[in-house]
Structures are given as structure tokens and as C-alpha cells.
Amino acid sequence: MASCAGYPRHGHRRSVPLWPCAIALLLLAMAAGVRGHSDPPIQKPSAPAEVLAPGWKPLEFEAPVPGTYRLPPLGRAADGAVVDADDRPARLHDYFGDKVVVLSFIYTHCSDVNGCPLATAVLRGVKKRMEADPTLAGRLRLISLSFDPQQDLPAVMRAYGERLMGGPVEWQFLTTRSPALLDPILESYGQSVVKEYDAGGKFLGSFSHILRVFLIDRELHVRNVYTVSFLHQDTLINDVKTLLMEETGSLRRASSGDASTRAAQPSLHGPGDYKHGYESPGYVTKSRHLPGRKGRAMNLMALIEQPPLGLPPVPMPADNPATPEKIALGRKLFFDRRLSQNNTFSCAMCHIPEQGFTSNELQTAVGIEGRTVRRNSPTLYNVAYFGRLFHDAREFRLEQQIWGPMLARNEMGNPSVGIVIDKIDRLPDYDGLFEAAFDGKGPSMETIGAAIASYERSLLSADSPFDRWRFAGREDALDDDARRGFRLFNGKAGCAACHSLQSEYALFTDDRLHNTGIGYRASMHAEPTTQNLQLAPGVELKVERAAFAAAAERPPSELGRYEVTKDPEDRWKYKTPSLRNVALTAPYMHDGSLATLREVVDFYNSGGVPNELLDPLIRPLELSTSEAEDLVAFLKSLTGSNVNALISDAFAAPVGDADEADAGQRGTAPTN
């Protein structure tokens, strides 16, 4: 039986009347019974009715116009082992990422009209409506996953959905091999399912469950959850359209409104941020944990030895070859807040794994005690390949780079190298770890840098849809929008001149420095009288700049590479970042001043900011709106397939002296 208990509709700022739970939709008579486990005969279930039942009523309110509201991320869409209707094994995440997804949990012999038949009927209505709009049809995928794998074998799921599969809107009917494989998926999605028994304890073949349908975006974020009272094709379709408008950047234009409306919108709550409930002191990451610390380090070592599709061999320094022991130690150090002066700040607090190993929530980083850091946190994905480090390219080796943040007063705040070494040497949970990783050598400036560098060198991510299309020859791996975007990238837009790629691999950077005008604009423009003060992720308050300046540290002038070389020709030059996983690493540019990929494309389309040292490659591109959207689609195709595994591994790192504790807990700092 499906529960009629309604839940608040997330993400919509409106008051709506509830249409009754007892609404009659369609009467589906499906055989319900218990089947044995030894080659049971497959009975074709009754297919969903072609029309809604007479009792079906339209919405009692007018659905809001797509793009006039936002659907904030509610959490990460979970993964799991599934089987398709053709009995082919897959992962649930294999069906996410390239399209918006509507996921429902059903079982084929459910007879409650307010349960599984309701979900299937509404999704069929969505499918028909989307098929009438060719521009949207190919951008949505419907998934019905059975929570009764013992009866709903692949052939049963195929029979159930045979009249619904096919056409421009894809509909997948999935099951699992066993309840043991299904249970973690149901738990992750909060889908409670209870078998029903008669008075004698005999299973009736039916289940009690709360109907829940999930809307999932292309970054694998759950964006809405529908229950009986809110599951209707009008609102669901408008929500899908809103997500698609958000991807193309048109949501911002459609809902921009006046200045006060814009200020209330979370401009930096971007891709990769799925820490729902982060404001709670008891927040625990939703990242999956992988078993066995040594096994995890070995997996990262294998990644270095065989980089993902699209990446070249990893350049390895002769004096610091990677080993599993170094990687495991470096990961522990990376997450340890005790490496800061007051035991509160770690490397991972600026390079947040679930935010693309950067920070989606802040334009520029904030260091120890809230001190101002003037530049955006660069991503660490694929940093192993870079010969120049930091935005101004002032460092050249990962082994040396780490000491800059550790000793900077406004980052980790340590007064000297010796203080850090002495602190680590006195921590009991590091006993023997350095010696095991470095042939008997203990903590030192060299071994600390080498360990963290080894972990950072393992953060390799590729095998993206673009890689599978470009380097593996899979024609179906990249959609038409992204292909058009790639042609623009190499041609009219000229992006490849700086974000270069080779015939057998692609790093999407020339590892050089260029003046695009962003730094010039920041240094030359008059300051406004007011500014936004960020109180929390997505929460800002407008304050007088003079009042803010009285309490805040004033950042120095921003001159880029000139600060390193003192060569006037190097003013406002910054290093070309890689574009791999760029959809996960907002905001953009050295100062985090551009919040979305569409803003970045528009900036370059306008020709940057003119100045006497503007790079000659920067020019107006004259891209049309559709061309700009195609270019964004291409950039989104550069997200690697293994980012979730790297996040999971990162959050399984032991922290402090709680090696066996839940390493995902980040609510309080570890103690000495």
C-alpha cells in the first residue's frame, strides 16, 4: 500500500492546495503472488492503462512558469548494481549524467492506484508531453526500478514496460539481482519498503511503501522529491524544463528580476556541492566509504600506473616515486587540521573533494581564523601534469608547493617549517607511518612534502564522455550539442589555442600564462560603495564597503605574474587552468568572479577586458546564443567517470587519532 502522507515540496517558494490522496487514477489488475526461486515461470504483468482513470483531476493551481523558480540541490543521487530489461548488468550511475533523470521505485504487481500505477501513469503522461517537444525529448530519461527483484526478473520488467519503452524520450525498466543488492539503494534514497503478511505470517506478495519519485540533474544531484500529493505531470515537466534552462544559462535570465531578487539567489552554490544539511553541527558527508585503507591506497596507485582514458602517462619525479604507503600517508596529512597553527584548518578545507577539490561556496578562499585569501582555490584534479603551480605559476613542484599554504599567515598560519615537523613528530597516530613510507626516514620538510605530493598526484580524473568519443571511437558517447561545441572550441571560438589537446590525450591547458583582462578589471575599476557579505553558503547581506573595510583585511593589489617576476610585461597574467572536470569546479577565473560556465563563455565572447597588455589571442568571438550553449555543453562533457570514486576515497581518509572512526565526520576539528 502506498502511503498518502504528503511532504513539503522542496525548492518551490509557493503555497499550493493539495489535491486529494484518494484520487482515482487507473485501475491496474496485476497478478500478485509468491513465486519460487528455481526457474519460476514468467507471467506477463498487466501493462499500465493507456488513459488515466475518470477520477483523475488536473492540478487545482497553475503550475509556475519554467525558469521563474529554483530547485536547490537536496543531496547526492546514490549508485548501486542493477540489471536492465535485457538482463545486462550495469550501475545505476551509468544512467545518470548525460540527461535529466526522473527515477521512480515500483513493483510490477502493485494494485494500489495511489502507488506504483500512479507513478507509472504520471511518467507516461510526462513522456507523451515531452515527445511533443522535439527540443526537449532527447534530454530526459525516465527510470523505473523494481523493489521486488525476486519476482520482477528482467523479462518481467520488459513485459511491464514494453508499451512504454522506445521513442525520443528514453524509459528504462531496471531491477536487481537480489534483495541484498537492492537494500543499499533503497536505504540511500530513503525508500522504506515493508513486506505485508497475513495473520498466519504468510507473505501476501504485496508491499507497504511510501511513493517517492526523484528528479535528478546531470551533475547527479537530487533536485526534487515527489510524493502522492505532488506527483503531477504539469509540475514535473516544468521542473524538468527549469533544470534544462539552468544548464543552458537561460534560468538566470528568466528569473533575474530586480537587484533585490538577484541578491537573494545563491550565486555560488554550484556544481559539485551536495552537502545537504551542512549547517548542522552533526553533518556527515554522504560520500560512500570504501573498505580497507591499504586497498584504497592501492587503487590510487593503480590509477597512477594506468591513468584513465584521455590522460598521458604520469610524469614521476625520480626522487619521489609514488608508492601506496606514500599515498595513504599523504591523504591522511591532506585532511589533518592539526597541520595548521591552531589545529583548525586542513588542505581539504580549501580543496573540498565533493566540490571538485576546490570550493564552490566562495569566490576566494578563507584561511585560518577567517583570514582573507585573495585568490580562488584551484582544483587539484590532474595536478600531476602541471609544470607550473598556483595562479601566478610561482612554484614548479608539488613536493615544494605545499609549504606555501602551510606557512602563509592567511592560510594555515604556521610560523615555521620546524613547528610543523615537531608537531607531526609528537602525534602518536603518525608513529611509524613516515618510516614505512620513506625507508626509515621520519617527518621532515622533504618527507611531508613528498607524501602530500604523492596523494595529490593520484587525483587523476578522465574517461569522460568526450574521451570515450574522441579517444575510444564511441560515436554514441557524445551528444550533438557537445559535438557542435567541440567544433567551436577548435574553430571559431579558438579555445584550443590555450586549452590545448593532442592526438592521443588532452590536458586542455598549454601550462602558460595569459592576460585576459580579468586582473586588469579588478585593479582599475572604481570600487562600489556597497558589497555583498557572505554569511553562509548562498546567504548574502549587502553592507557599506567602508564598514566592511574597517573589520576586514584588505587584500593587496592584484598584478598576477608580475608579482613573481617584476617584469612589467607580466602584469595581469595568470596560468591557463585545465578544463577537465570544469563543470564541477565553479566559480571561475583566478578571483572566482565568474560563477557559471555560461558567464565564462560570455566573458570570452565579449573579447575579455581591453588593456595595453591584453593577450592577442583574446578577441570578440561573435558567438550566437545557441553556439554559446553548445560550447557549454562541450565543457560539461569533460567530467571524468571516476570523480565519485575519488571523493569516496578522500572521505575515507583517517583523521587525527581516530583511524577506525567514521572519517566522513567533518563537524568538529580533531584534537591532539
Side-chain angles (χ1 to χ4, degrees), residues 294-410:
K294 186 174 178 60
R296 288 189 297 270
M298 288 298 293
N299 288 339
L300 295 180
M301 186 67 208
L303 201 60
I304 290 177
E305 294 171 341
Q306 183 59 58
L309 178 68
L311 293 178
V314 176
M316 190 65 61
D319 60 350
N320 187 30
T323 67
E325 291 76 16
K326 290 180 186 178
I327 293 171
L329 175 57
R331 184 183 55 189
K332 177 178 171 66
L333 291 165
F334 186 86
F335 283 93
D336 198 334
R337 300 187 186 192
R338 296 171 298 177
L339 269 62
S340 64
Q341 184 185 33
N342 63 358
N343 304 325
T344 64
F345 209 83
S346 72
C347 306
M349 295 178 73
C350 282
H351 302 281
I352 304 167
E354 70 265 46
Q355 296 184 29
F357 282 93
T358 176
S359 175
N360 298 152
E361 296 169 344
L362 297 170
Q363 289 184 337
T364 56
V366 172
I368 186 174
E369 296 181 337
R371 296 171 187 168
T372 301
V373 179
R374 58 178 172 153
R375 289 175 182 164
N376 176 255
S377 302
T379 179
L380 297 182
Y381 279 128
N382 302 317
V383 71
Y385 298 102
F386 303 154
R388 300 169 184 256
L389 303 169
F390 296 109
H391 289 291
D392 56 16
R394 66 183 181 272
E395 194 54 84
F396 306 97
R397 295 195 65 193
L398 286 172
E399 285 77 4
Q400 298 162 348
Q401 173 273 334
I402 186 58
W403 289 104
M406 278 199 188
L407 300 179
R409 176 186 175 277
N410 60 348

Side-chain angles (χ1 to χ4, degrees), residues 30 45-48 106 108 116 120 156-162 164 173:
M30 297 183 178
S46 301
I106 66 166
T108 60
C116 309
T120 301
V156 174
M157 295 301 291
R158 169 162 287 282
Y160 179 79
E162 65 180 3
L164 300 172
F173 289 83

Side-chain angles (χ1 to χ4, degrees), residues 185-209:
I185 301 176
L186 296 179
E187 181 179 358
S188 297
Y189 284 94
Q191 182 70 67
S192 175
V193 177
V194 179
K195 289 184 176 181
E196 294 185 329
Y197 299 88
D198 64 15
K202 180 182 178 182
F203 176 46
L204 297 174
S206 57
F207 298 83
S208 174
H209 67 96

Side-chain angles (χ1 to χ4, degrees), residues 466 470-471 484-503 505-512 514 576-579 601 604 615 617-619 621 623 631 634-635 638:
F466 168 80
R470 172 82 171 185
F471 302 116
R484 290 193 300 268
F486 180 59
R487 288 194 292 270
L488 290 164
F489 184 89
N490 273 326
K492 180 178 178 180
C495 311
C498 298
H499 298 281
S500 54
L501 61 163
Q502 290 70 39
S503 59
Y505 63 88
L507 297 179
F508 292 103
T509 176
D510 60 3
D511 212 22
R512 300 174 64 185
H514 300 274
T576 306
S578 172
L579 296 180
V601 171
Y604 284 110
D615 195 292
L617 293 171
I618 306 299
R619 54 180 174 76
L621 304 179
L623 299 177
L631 198 52
F634 165 68
L635 295 173
L638 302 180

Side-chain angles (χ1 to χ4, degrees), residues 219-230:
E219 277 73 42
L220 280 66
H221 303 138
V222 175
R223 302 298 287 273
N224 216 339
V225 183
Y226 309 91
T227 54
V228 171
S229 298
F230 298 104

Side-chain angles (χ1 to χ4, degrees), residues 273-598:
D273 177 16
Y274 55 90
K275 302 196 309 302
H276 184 51
Y278 183 66
E279 69 281 0
S280 168
Y283 164 75
V284 178
T285 178
K286 303 305 186 295
S287 301
R288 293 181 295 112
H289 288 187
L290 304 179
R293 174 160 47 134
K294 186 174 178 60
R296 288 189 297 270
M298 288 298 293
N299 288 339
L300 295 180
M301 186 67 208
L303 201 60
I304 290 177
E305 294 171 341
Q306 183 59 58
L309 178 68
L311 293 178
V314 176
M316 190 65 61
D319 60 350
N320 187 30
T323 67
E325 291 76 16
K326 290 180 186 178
I327 293 171
L329 175 57
R331 184 183 55 189
K332 177 178 171 66
L333 291 165
F334 186 86
F335 283 93
D336 198 334
R337 300 187 186 192
R338 296 171 298 177
L339 269 62
S340 64
Q341 184 185 33
N342 63 358
N343 304 325
T344 64
F345 209 83
S346 72
C347 306
M349 295 178 73
C350 282
H351 302 281
I352 304 167
E354 70 265 46
Q355 296 184 29
F357 282 93
T358 176
S359 175
N360 298 152
E361 296 169 344
L362 297 170
Q363 289 184 337
T364 56
V366 172
I368 186 174
E369 296 181 337
R371 296 171 187 168
T372 301
V373 179
R374 58 178 172 153
R375 289 175 182 164
N376 176 255
S377 302
T379 179
L380 297 182
Y381 279 128
N382 302 317
V383 71
Y385 298 102
F386 303 154
R388 300 169 184 256
L389 303 169
F390 296 109
H391 289 291
D392 56 16
R394 66 183 181 272
E395 194 54 84
F396 306 97
R397 295 195 65 193
L398 286 172
E399 285 77 4
Q400 298 162 348
Q401 173 273 334
I402 186 58
W403 289 104
M406 278 199 188
L407 300 179
R409 176 186 175 277
N410 60 348
E411 295 190 54
M412 298 176 77
N414 290 293
S416 70
V417 173
I419 289 291
V420 178
I421 296 172
D422 182 65
K423 180 184 287 189
I424 294 175
D425 198 36
R426 289 186 289 107
L427 294 174
D429 50 300
Y430 282 98
D431 286 350
L433 297 184
F434 280 88
E435 290 77 5
F438 293 100
D439 297 325
K441 296 179 182 178
S444 68
M445 187 175 187
E446 291 76 18
T447 57
I448 293 169
I452 296 176
S454 296
Y455 173 61
E456 292 177 336
R457 206 166 266 126
S458 73
L459 300 176
L460 306 177
S461 179
D463 188 30
S464 66
F466 168 80
D467 295 314
R468 294 191 287 273
W469 173 73
R470 172 82 171 185
F471 302 116
R474 286 181 47 185
E475 289 299 316
D476 62 342
L478 206 62
D479 61 28
D480 291 340
D481 292 352
R483 294 191 198 193
R484 290 193 300 268
F486 180 59
R487 288 194 292 270
L488 290 164
F489 184 89
N490 273 326
K492 180 178 178 180
C495 311
C498 298
H499 298 281
S500 54
L501 61 163
Q502 290 70 39
S503 59
E504 296 181 356
Y505 63 88
L507 297 179
F508 292 103
T509 176
D510 60 3
D511 212 22
R512 300 174 64 185
L513 293 98
H514 300 274
N515 175 350
T516 67
I518 284 283
Y520 175 83
R521 179 175 66 185
S523 63
M524 293 300 167
H525 282 196
E527 292 186 345
T529 59
T530 62
Q531 74 175 64
N532 288 338
L533 175 65
Q534 187 173 24
L535 304 179
V539 180
E540 294 181 347
L541 176 69
K542 190 176 292 296
V543 299
E544 291 294 325
R545 180 172 288 273
F548 178 81
E553 177 182 350
R554 182 178 178 84
S557 298
E558 183 61 84
L559 293 172
R561 180 66 174 170
Y562 170 81
E563 298 173 21
V564 178
T565 66
K566 301 304 179 184
D567 182 346
E569 296 297 312
D570 285 341
R571 283 175 291 166
W572 311 302
K573 283 185 177 180
Y574 300 92
K575 189 171 74 75
T576 306
S578 172
L579 296 180
R580 287 197 171 276
N581 295 316
V582 69
L584 307 179
T585 59
Y588 305 103
M589 315 306 280
H590 76 277
D591 59 355
S593 58
L594 302 181
T596 67
L597 286 175
R598 182 55 190 271

Side-chain angles (χ1 to χ4, degrees), residues 35-66:
R35 299 196 299 160
H37 295 286
S38 57
D39 298 319
I42 295 174
Q43 299 178 359
K44 181 176 178 179
S46 301
E50 284 298 320
V51 296
L52 296 177
W56 174 259
K57 294 193 298 185
L59 282 177
E60 297 178 0
F61 61 92
E62 185 175 348
V65 176

